[in-house]
Amino acid sequence: MTRLPLIAALSILLAGPALAQDQSFALMLGNRQLGTLSFDGSGANTHLLSRLDNTPLSVADGTFEATSRASGNTVEYLGQNRGSKNRDIMITRQGAAVGAVSVSPADEMTELSDVAKVPAGTLTTAEVFGVLANGKTCPNPLTMYDGRRVVQLATTAMDTSGDTVTCQMSYRVTAGKGHLSPFNFKSLAMTAIYTTGALSQVTVSAGGFDVNLVRQ
């Protein structure tokens, strides 16, 4: 049962020309569909909704919704967890610099909830997923900030076979709290697969099992 919160966390992790229409994915653990993820938008104007409604004994059921909106040089982000744990995170970025962060409840804050410690050039969770979902091939390095930690995502290897591109990727928490206390996972393996120029699957591996995000 200790793995179930990790399933929920991994579903949230899943940072060329954009696909404008709504995109839908199934969240899978083996042959079991745990829920769905929907996404729309591009650049700094993005919306993501992850819904877990079929975890064993409903222990990890809940939603994560992330919205990023740009107005001129300002980007505003809102991330909301609802389920066994409720959390709201608001981030305001001016240009490349994060100018304000709000985390509620306050005991969910980390040392990286202090804007003075956030490096310049980060993207929100919704923006990073947009880069993956709207891309046609392996992404360039990305730096993500979610209000509690800074994460580096990078392609470590690329394989092309016919119309399929497979990207081996690393996910490293470089500052702030790891995922899932007391485990504090700071390094995850990711694989992104692009078929005929569109993201078809993302696999995140941790704790000896894989969570798959499969395009519907």
Side-chain angles (χ1 to χ4, degrees), residues 9-82:
L10 294 183
S11 74
I12 296 171
L13 303 179
L14 304 173
L19 302 174
Q21 69 271 25
D22 292 353
Q23 303 183 53
S24 297
F25 300 85
L27 286 160
M28 306 293 298
L29 179 65
N31 293 324
R32 183 184 186 117
Q33 183 170 345
L34 303 175
T36 59
L37 186 149
S38 60
F39 174 82
D40 64 87
S42 63
N45 293 293
T46 53
H47 175 255
L48 178 155
L49 176 61
S50 171
R51 185 182 304 277
L52 293 174
D53 55 14
N54 190 37
T55 62
L57 301 178
S58 301
V59 173
D61 285 3
T63 63
F64 171 72
E65 186 169 15
T67 303
S68 177
R69 291 289 178 262
S71 177
N73 201 37
T74 300
V75 174
E76 294 185 341
Y77 166 85
L78 173 62
Q80 295 178 300
N81 289 79
R82 295 294 183 265

Side-chain angles (χ1 to χ4, degrees), residues 194-205:
Y194 292 86
T195 306
T196 61
L199 180 68
S200 57
Q201 180 173 321
V202 175
T203 300
V204 180
S205 304

Side-chain angles (χ1 to χ4, degrees), residues 3 6 185 205-210:
R3 291 182 174 182
L6 182 57
F185 291 102
S205 304
F209 67 104
D210 299 335

Side-chain angles (χ1 to χ4, degrees), residues 76-141:
E76 294 185 341
Y77 166 85
L78 173 62
Q80 295 178 300
N81 289 79
R82 295 294 183 265
S84 59
K85 177 175 288 188
N86 295 332
R87 180 170 59 233
D88 292 343
I89 296 178
M90 291 183 288
I91 300 171
T92 300
R93 191 177 71 231
Q94 300 284 347
V98 172
V101 178
S102 172
V103 179
S104 178
D107 61 6
E108 290 292 306
M109 297 174 66
T110 73
E111 61 178 337
L112 261 292
S113 300
D114 177 359
V115 295
K117 297 183 179 181
V118 183
T122 62
L123 299 176
T124 68
T125 302
E127 290 173 293
V128 167
F129 187 82
V131 172
L132 296 175
N134 292 330
K136 291 190 172 185
T137 189
C138 303
N140 292 324

Side-chain angles (χ1 to χ4, degrees), residues 168-189:
Q168 302 297 332
M169 300 181 64
S170 66
Y171 176 107
R172 295 187 305 110
V173 177
T174 57
K177 186 178 178 63
H179 291 285
L180 294 176
S181 179
F183 304 104
N184 289 323
F185 291 102
K186 290 199 170 186
S187 182
L188 305 173

